[in-house]
Amino acid sequence: MKRAGVLLLGALPVIAAGVYFVVPGDSADSSDGSAASASSSATARSMRDDAKDRAEEEREADDALIADLPPGLAAPAKKELAQQLVSSAENSTTRWRTAYGSIEDVGDGDGYTAGIIGFCTGTHDLLTLVERYTEAHPDNGLAAYLPALREVDGSDSHEGLDPGFPAAWKAEAEVPAFREAQEEERDRVYFDPAVRLAKLDGLGTLGQFVYYDAMVFHGPDTDAEGFYGLRERAMGEAKTPGEGGSEKDYLDTFLDVRRQAMEAKRPGIDTSRLDTAQRRFLAAGNMELATPLVWEMYGDTYRVP
């Protein structure tokens, strides 16, 4: 996973603070400057409060819109299918629940990759998972590695993690609370934001999965190679259904943009998750991810009846 960066949708505007130069010894000017500074601060606070109120109103309006839509990928059966599809790409099996304890360094520069969604020691999401889990369960078997996890965050280093961290991860993965924590973090960082935004873009169940898989692979980042950067590029080339565009045309464009990003980062990468899975569903017009479903991943065939 790429870094689970901070994204502020509807973020507050940045207010440029005024700078006042006061002449020493001039008490009148100093008084005037203080008054002006106080007034400027009050205005800035008011503008921030107004922007916060507008953002909250927009979010409430979005929530109301989504509430009236079909559940789509969030329906239990479709959500299960989504995990099977992602797991076929991430773990070469549709049995995603077997991956809670998986951990290895796959040599992609992100350190250890672990768990059901591929949390990484080098991309912040594994650190966040362990921090949040430790808040609720202070005596867990991974808490002792938090200092090391903070040090290696953003790199592929194993310093302070070897040799014990992989074994500690596998042991903790046997604890039901840690399994639940992995699922909650997957939903909080990847699944829920992807499905929400796809619905706001007017996308059906397939489009919601396309967003989710991209969020998992590229990370919830705003840079050019992160999910939000890819979406912005795609929207620059095609209208979303929410903007009155064709759903198929937009998804075709999004997948094109995503494929370019994957190949730019890792030349020669196998893009099966796009070419013989998502594009296959799109070409068949299966916009609701209806089963039975057949796809190929890295030369292997998978079927959901």
Side-chain angles (χ1 to χ4, degrees):
M1 243 43 47
K2 281 194 62 182
R3 174 174 299 276
V6 177
L7 177 73
L8 298 180
L9 294 175
L12 305 184
V14 176
I15 308 299
V19 179
Y20 296 90
F21 294 92
V22 180
V23 178
D26 192 334
S27 60
D29 288 349
S30 177
S31 177
D32 290 346
S34 296
S37 179
S39 176
S40 176
S41 296
T43 300
R45 285 195 299 271
S46 177
M47 292 177 67
R48 287 195 297 268
D49 289 343
D50 288 346
K52 184 177 180 180
D53 290 342
R54 287 196 302 272
E56 185 62 31
E57 289 174 0
E58 290 174 359
R59 182 170 184 84
E60 289 176 357
D62 289 345
D63 287 342
L65 173 63
I66 292 173
D68 291 335
L69 297 175
L73 201 67
K78 295 301 182 186
K79 185 175 182 179
E80 175 69 19
L81 177 60
Q83 310 320 314
Q84 292 176 316
L85 286 162
V86 169
S87 183
S88 71
E90 296 289 324
N91 302 303
S92 297
T93 177
T94 56
R95 299 172 60 207
W96 62 270
R97 291 178 180 82
T98 64
Y100 292 107
S102 67
I103 180 168
E104 65 174 320
D105 189 329
V106 298
D108 60 359
D110 291 335
Y112 281 119
T113 297
I116 57 172
I117 207 69
F119 302 103
C120 295
T121 56
T123 61
H124 198 64
D125 55 353
L126 189 147
L127 169 61
T128 301
L129 166 64
V130 176
E131 286 179 333
R132 290 170 64 88
Y133 178 59
T134 300
E135 287 178 5
H137 305 277
D139 297 327
N140 73 82
L142 300 175
Y145 290 95
L146 276 172
L149 288 171
R150 294 186 182 110
E151 285 296 319
V152 303
D153 188 29
S155 76
D156 62 355
S157 173
H158 293 186
E159 186 173 355
L161 299 177
D162 289 342
F165 183 68
W169 179 278
K170 290 178 182 293
E172 200 65 28
E174 297 297 320
V175 178
F178 186 52
R179 295 186 173 204
E180 182 179 350
Q182 288 192 42
E183 294 185 34
E184 289 177 352
E185 197 68 2
R186 173 200 66 197
D187 292 350
R188 185 184 73 87
V189 177
Y190 300 104
F191 186 84
D192 292 345
V195 172
R196 174 185 173 83
L197 189 54
K199 288 183 176 181
L200 292 175
D201 283 349
L203 300 174
T205 305
L206 173 59
Q208 293 161 32
F209 174 74
V210 167
Y211 271 21
Y212 173 49
D213 188 67
M215 187 83 83
V216 167
F217 186 88
H218 297 276
D221 298 327
T222 56
D223 60 29
E225 303 306 317
F227 168 78
Y228 292 99
L230 299 180
R231 173 177 171 267
E232 184 176 353
R233 285 168 55 193
M235 292 177 68
E237 298 178 22
K239 289 183 178 181
T240 67
E243 297 171 323
S246 160
E247 183 172 14
K248 184 179 185 304
D249 289 347
Y250 173 74
L251 290 176
D252 263 329
T253 299
F254 184 87
L255 292 174
D256 285 342
V257 167
R258 188 182 167 194
R259 195 175 199 275
Q260 292 166 10
M262 291 174 69
E263 292 176 336
K265 181 178 180 180
R266 303 177 195 170
I269 188 174
D270 189 320
T271 55
S272 292
R273 63 199 305 155
L274 307 184
D275 304 334
T276 53
Q278 295 171 42
R279 284 198 187 277
R280 178 175 293 181
F281 308 149
L282 186 60
N286 190 356
M287 310 305 285
E288 300 306 319
L289 274 182
T291 53
L293 210 59
V294 180
W295 70 97
E296 294 178 16
M297 198 68 67
Y298 317 134
D300 294 327
T301 300
Y302 297 89
R303 294 178 174 85
V304 171

